[in-house]
Amino acid sequence: MPDLLIELRSEEIPARMQRKAAGDLRKSVTDALVDAGLTYQAAREYWTPRRLTLDVRGLTARSKDVKDEIKGPSTKAPEQAIAGFMRKAGLNDISEAHIHTDPKKGDFYLARISRPGRSAEEIIADVMPGIIRGFSWPKSMRWGSASMPKGASYNGIEGKGGEALRWVRPLQSIICTFGPETEDPTVIGFAVDGLVAGNQTAGHRFHAPDPFTVRRFDDYVEKLERAHVVLDADRRKEIILSDARNLAFASGLELVEDEALLDEVSGLVEWPVVLMGEFEEDFLQIPDDIIRLTIKTNQKCFVLRKPGNGLSNKFILVSNIEASDGGKEIALGNAKVVRARLSDALYFWTTDQANLPDMAKLEASAEKLGLDMAKPLDQRMARLDQLNVTFHAKLGSQGERVQRIAKLAAELAPTVGADPALATRAALLAKADLTTEVVGEFPELQGVMGRIYAGLQGENASVAAALEEHYKPQGPSDEVPTDPVSIAVALADKLDTLVGFWAIDEKPTGSKDPYALRRAALGVIRILVENKIELELQTEWHAAWLSAFDRSYGDAIKPLISAAILLGKQLRADELKSILATIEETERSKITESAQSWADELNEKEADLLSFFHDRLKVYLRDKGARHDLIDAVITRSSDDLFDITRRVEALGAFLDTEDGKNLLAGAKRAANILAAEEKKGTAVAEAVDPALFEFDAEKNLFAAVNQSVSAATQAIENEDYSAAMSALATLREPVDSFFEAVLVNAEVESVRANRLALLAMIRQATGAVADFSRIAG
């Protein structure tokens, strides 16, 4: 079967756009071919900085003939309806239609249409210009005479006006060949904006710029290789990585590998040549992270390290040409630029460790936050507060936010096993590096520089680690913090963000999440679950909610907020006493009605945020392999201990995998369904089970078993031993089965029926202590 080769050669395509563009070309072309009635066996895309290539194998040579029937209106239909049918069917006259008789509907028109198939060459020539003209790029440009207004001129070029082709960079040539392996392929010569598709391309811009002719894909790849172009991006990556490792090894060094940088560099070269550059060792006094990011960001180069002894003063660069001097001048040129960039980095690094020039202005902030102005990082935090940098217009400044995080971190510290004083100190310094010179130049190093500078000024190791780790996890593959101080600050940071934005109604909508609130919630979930921390969110975030409402509505309504908290939530005794002290007795009656509305609003927002956490937890657990129905069975509207939920789901899943679990599930669901049906009909259900009304031993045995299992399960749940709770419920399997075999629930005597329904309610209540069995499939 014939194969199709397409190449679109242009000026350099930005590396970040190449992979997606090649995939878009494959999808656009194959979709169009299939829509036109062709089929193919395989298709693969390729890309380099100067070309997008598509190799389609086993394409059918011709589309099939199509025979179709189009049903029309009744022969008695109005002329307007008949005319519409003729247009739809492509008929010149109604006499070209057939009349079909239906015993029920009468006579109606029927058009039998036969369309002959088309050759693949014709289809390709028909669809390709539209695909190229309509190709979507993040950014595109126009060029040439067609891009200039008619009558205008520039450098001797006369503008033609009209619709110019838009492409990421000027398109230079198009290859389109089609044919079987045993024959010379056909050139499909469609035209786009003056460019006519052919069978010629050019190789490397410098090593092989002259055009050459190709026939089909294998021939094309071979000739490109001879013309210093490696077509396959994965092969270019392999060449770069292998040569870089070997060059580093030959110098007694190790390559610091970077997959993202490798992807980018492979998109910058068609003929990768790996070289080694060098800079002065004096620059090694700069922290490794700064050196690596400086060299990566500015020169797209890889750093090298000495085995077990920090970075080397040598680096790896990738050239696109084989220079006659072996690349010496290229390496020297790159080293010159690297040297200049590292000089800047050294300046930032030393400046950050010196005292700030405006120390006098920072004294008020330092006193307010309890900072030590003899330490550089404390100075930076004081400056962040003094500058009054806005976090959000409705949520205050960064300095105010840091104070909130510090307070919440101290409250969370005992729960997560951290020292409250260390958690407070870490929270106060967590955002200090945002005003450093290094982070100003390299925002990617926020947190990293905080850790480094904290270490230099002698902070506790846990405090220093928390300055970096409190941002974690920043994605599903990122690690969660494990140090208790880091955990306290990370949770405080994320909970303050979530509560704050919920308070001002800035929640994620659809796919929009400008403040990364979904990531923050998932971060809280992962920190709690993966560190096995029991934390009741609704207890811990009360102070954050009060603060959020305070910021949102101003000082004038502080008494209302306090009263709302009193009316709507249960706080610790010391908190109740302190809040009561702020409200004069004469004022309480005046604000009660308004306070109730604030309480309602607060409860509604809290419930909504908790529901948001539940949704994120469901996604997290499903990704871990948990069954969706088990998650739904365990989570209630008030469930706020996320780790506890995961343990319940895990224990429930293990229990239902056993024979006892499956049988109890069937019995419990049967009991719940009967009870729900009778409750819906209004059937009386006794408030309590009366053993005197039992008529069968099965009722007595079930009553005794339920009481025993409830007692054991309740004790196990209090001890947070959910496996034991499931084992206690498992004892109900046999008595439940026996009950349904021996007893008719809907007895004729009303009191007996109500008593038996109450017994079913006991089963529902017993199993409901662990999960809602009615939500479980099976």
Side-chain angles (χ1 to χ4, degrees):
M1 295 179 74
D3 300 330
L4 173 64
L5 169 64
I6 294 172
E7 182 204 68
L8 305 176
R9 185 172 64 89
S10 67
E11 295 291 339
E12 274 72 7
I13 305 168
R16 69 183 184 279
M17 300 182 188
Q18 293 166 17
R19 181 187 296 272
K20 183 179 184 302
D24 288 346
L25 177 65
R26 174 182 54 77
K27 186 176 188 307
S28 297
V29 173
T30 54
D31 284 355
L33 296 178
V34 170
D35 288 345
L38 301 177
T39 61
Y40 64 95
Q41 293 177 348
R44 183 178 174 185
E45 70 274 23
Y46 299 85
W47 62 91
T48 79
R50 298 180 64 217
R51 65 200 79 224
L52 302 178
T53 301
L54 179 62
D55 174 30
V56 183
R57 300 291 177 98
L59 187 65
T60 48
R62 187 177 181 83
S63 63
K64 294 180 179 180
D65 295 342
V66 175
K67 292 184 179 180
D68 197 7
E69 290 186 348
I70 300 177
K71 185 178 178 182
S74 167
T75 55
K76 299 177 182 178
E79 289 186 8
Q80 189 175 2
I82 294 174
F85 165 65
M86 290 169 58
R87 284 194 300 271
K88 179 181 178 182
L91 304 179
N92 296 317
D93 190 271
I94 195 62
S95 62
E96 297 175 6
H98 298 268
I99 296 176
H100 188 81
T101 301
D102 187 290
K104 294 182 179 179
K105 298 181 179 180
D107 295 344
F108 61 88
Y109 290 111
L110 185 71
R112 292 194 176 103
I113 306 227
S114 178
R115 288 192 298 269
R118 293 195 298 163
S119 67
E121 290 94 331
E122 181 184 350
I123 292 172
I124 294 165
D126 185 39
V127 302
M128 282 306 302
I131 290 172
I132 295 173
R133 284 191 173 278
F135 205 83
S136 177
W137 293 97
K139 290 185 178 181
S140 58
M141 61 182 292
R142 297 179 299 162
W143 64 95
S145 59
S147 66
M148 298 166 57
K150 190 172 184 180
S153 65
Y154 179 76
N155 284 347
I157 300 175
E158 295 292 332
K160 295 180 180 180
E163 184 65 29
L165 173 67
R166 287 186 173 273
W167 198 254
V168 64
R169 295 293 185 269
L171 198 58
Q172 295 177 329
S173 69
I174 303 171
I175 287 178
C176 188
T177 66
F178 177 73
E181 292 184 8
T182 55
E183 301 174 11
D184 284 337
T186 300
V187 175
I188 303 177
F190 61 85
V192 179
D193 205 45
L195 281 176
V196 179
N199 60 356
Q200 285 198 331
T201 189
H204 192 281
R205 179 183 294 279
F206 303 111
H207 291 304
D210 295 331
F212 55 88
T213 302
V214 300
R215 298 173 68 246
R216 55 179 53 84
F217 183 75
D218 294 338
D219 167 63
Y220 165 76
V221 172
E222 182 183 337
K223 288 182 177 177
L224 277 181
E225 193 90 16
R226 291 204 298 265
H228 287 74
V229 175
V230 179
L231 181 65
D232 189 343
D234 289 334
R235 185 160 166 262
R236 292 198 301 277
K237 287 173 62 174
E238 290 172 6
I239 292 170
I240 293 168
L241 187 58
S242 175
D243 289 356
R245 286 171 174 168
N246 291 337
L247 198 55
F249 180 77
S251 298
L253 302 171
E254 297 175 354
L255 177 70
V256 178
E257 297 184 14
D258 186 325
E259 184 64 26
L261 179 59
L262 182 61
D263 264 333
E264 184 176 9
V265 170
S266 70
L268 297 174
V269 297
E270 289 196 314
W271 190 254
V273 178
V274 177
L275 304 170
M276 182 178 288
E278 186 174 352
F279 57 86
E280 287 76 11
E281 289 195 352
D282 290 346
F283 289 119
L284 293 179
Q285 65 182 287
I286 306 172
D288 290 356
D289 291 296
I290 301 178
I291 294 175
R292 180 188 58 78
L293 199 57
T294 298
I295 292 177
K296 172 184 176 178
T297 303
N298 292 292
Q299 284 302 101
K300 313 301 180 190
C301 295
F302 298 85
V303 294
L304 301 173
R305 62 172 167 243
K306 304 167 189 174
N309 193 27
L311 290 187
S312 163
N313 65 322
K314 295 182 179 180
F315 62 92
I316 292 292
L317 61 119
V318 181
S319 171
N320 193 35
I321 60 173
E322 287 184 354
S324 57
D325 65 351
K328 286 184 180 179
E329 287 299 320
I330 296 173
L332 288 173
N334 275 266
K336 185 177 180 179
V337 178
V338 165
R339 192 176 299 116
R341 297 292 181 252
L342 288 177
S343 294
D344 293 341
L346 181 59
Y347 169 77
F348 299 145
W349 165 246
T350 54
T351 300
D352 283 343
Q353 297 174 71
N355 287 332
L356 291 172
D358 54 349
M359 296 276 282
K361 296 180 181 179
L362 308 179
E363 290 178 359
S365 292
E367 183 177 353
K368 177 176 63 177
L369 298 174
L371 301 171
D372 182 354
M373 292 301 283
K375 297 180 177 181
L377 204 56
D378 291 59
Q379 295 176 28
R380 304 291 171 177
M381 183 57 235
R383 170 179 274 184
L384 182 65
D385 181 69
Q386 186 268 334
L387 291 174
N388 203 31
V389 177
T390 300
F391 170 64
H392 187 282
K394 295 182 180 180
L395 297 177
S397 68
Q398 285 281 13
E400 291 170 330
R401 181 167 185 258
V402 165
Q403 292 179 74
R404 298 195 302 269
I405 294 172
K407 181 180 178 182
L408 186 53
E411 293 179 359
L412 288 166
T415 304
V416 302
D419 183 331
L422 293 180
T424 302
R425 177 65 175 166
L428 285 173
L429 297 179
K431 310 299 179 182
D433 67 351
L434 296 178
T435 60
T436 62
E437 300 291 332
V438 171
V439 173
E441 179 71 11
F442 301 114
E444 304 95 323
L445 289 179
Q446 68 176 19
V448 174
M449 297 315 301
R451 169 180 56 78
I452 293 172
Y453 290 142
L456 288 175
Q457 68 180 39
E459 297 293 337
N460 180 282
S462 292
V463 170
L467 302 197
E468 178 180 9
E469 294 179 352
H470 82 280
Y471 289 106
K472 295 177 177 289
Q474 297 194 50
S477 60
D478 195 15
E479 295 181 352
V480 300
T482 55
D483 184 280
V485 175
S486 297
I487 292 171
V489 181
L491 288 174
D493 184 22
K494 293 169 177 58
L495 288 175
D496 177 80
T497 298
L498 288 158
V499 168
F501 282 107
W502 242 257
I504 62 173
D505 289 322
E506 290 279 1
K507 301 178 291 186
T509 55
S511 61
K512 295 180 180 179
D513 187 10
Y515 304 110
L517 301 181
R518 291 188 180 96
R519 185 174 71 186
L522 183 58
V524 171
I525 291 166
R526 288 191 57 202
I527 290 171
L528 295 175
V529 172
E530 294 177 27
N531 284 296
K532 300 180 178 179
I533 295 172
E534 297 176 3
L535 182 75
E536 294 180 349
L537 287 177
Q538 294 186 95
T539 299
E540 297 295 345
W541 68 24
H542 283 321
W545 276 110
L546 179 59
S547 177
F549 268 59
D550 200 353
R551 292 191 310 275
S552 300
Y553 299 103
D555 292 342
I557 54 106
K558 280 186 178 179
L560 295 179
I561 297 169
S562 300
I565 296 289
L566 282 173
L567 292 168
K569 308 303 298 181
Q570 292 182 349
L571 302 180
R572 296 193 302 269
D574 58 333
E575 291 178 311
L576 288 170
K577 186 182 292 185
S578 65
I579 291 174
L580 279 168
T582 67
I583 306 175
E584 296 293 338
E585 183 68 35
T586 56
E587 294 294 315
R588 291 183 195 173
S589 59
K590 296 179 184 178
I591 65 176
T592 300
E593 183 176 347
S594 297
Q596 184 61 58
S597 67
W598 291 110
D600 293 340
E601 183 179 354
L602 175 61
N603 290 338
E604 182 181 341
K605 289 178 182 290
E606 278 206 87
D608 189 53
L609 179 54
L610 187 58
S611 176
F612 180 76
F613 268 106
H614 289 167
D615 290 341
R616 295 298 96 202
L617 180 62
K618 289 176 183 179
V619 172
Y620 172 77
L621 291 177
R622 282 198 292 264
D623 288 345
K624 294 290 184 182
R627 283 169 44 182
H628 69 89
D629 57 330
L630 301 191
I631 302 170
D632 290 338
V634 166
I635 291 181
T636 66
R637 292 184 63 184
S638 61
S639 300
D640 66 346
D641 187 335
L642 306 181
F643 176 53
D644 183 73
I645 293 171
T646 63
R647 289 193 299 167
R648 286 174 181 255
V649 171
E650 185 178 321
L652 182 59
F655 174 59
L656 294 178
D657 284 339
T658 66
E659 200 64 30
D660 282 347
K662 293 173 184 176
N663 290 335
L664 177 60
L665 172 62
K669 285 174 72 72
R670 183 177 178 185
N673 291 338
I674 294 172
L675 190 58
E678 295 304 318
E679 287 173 337
K680 188 175 181 180
K681 291 189 292 186
T683 305
V685 180
E687 293 184 3
V689 175
D690 182 0
L693 295 174
F694 290 155
E695 297 178 351
F696 300 95
D697 289 340
E699 293 177 275
K700 299 175 185 178
N701 294 338
L702 178 57
F703 181 64
V706 170
N707 281 321
Q708 185 176 353
S709 69
V710 166
S711 175
T714 301
Q715 185 61 51
I717 291 170
E718 288 178 0
N719 296 333
E720 298 178 350
D721 186 349
Y722 298 112
S723 294
M726 296 297 173
S727 297
L729 291 179
T731 60
L732 292 176
R733 172 196 167 177
E734 193 280 327
V736 167
D737 289 345
S738 298
F739 174 82
F740 282 118
E741 287 176 5
V743 178
L744 177 65
V745 175
N746 287 320
E748 293 184 5
V749 179
E750 183 178 347
S751 60
V752 174
R753 179 172 64 249
N755 197 57
R756 289 173 182 174
L757 289 173
L759 193 52
L760 297 188
M762 286 186 67
I763 299 173
R764 183 173 65 182
Q765 184 177 1
T767 55
V770 174
D772 183 353
F773 275 46
S774 67
R775 290 177 170 265
I776 302 174

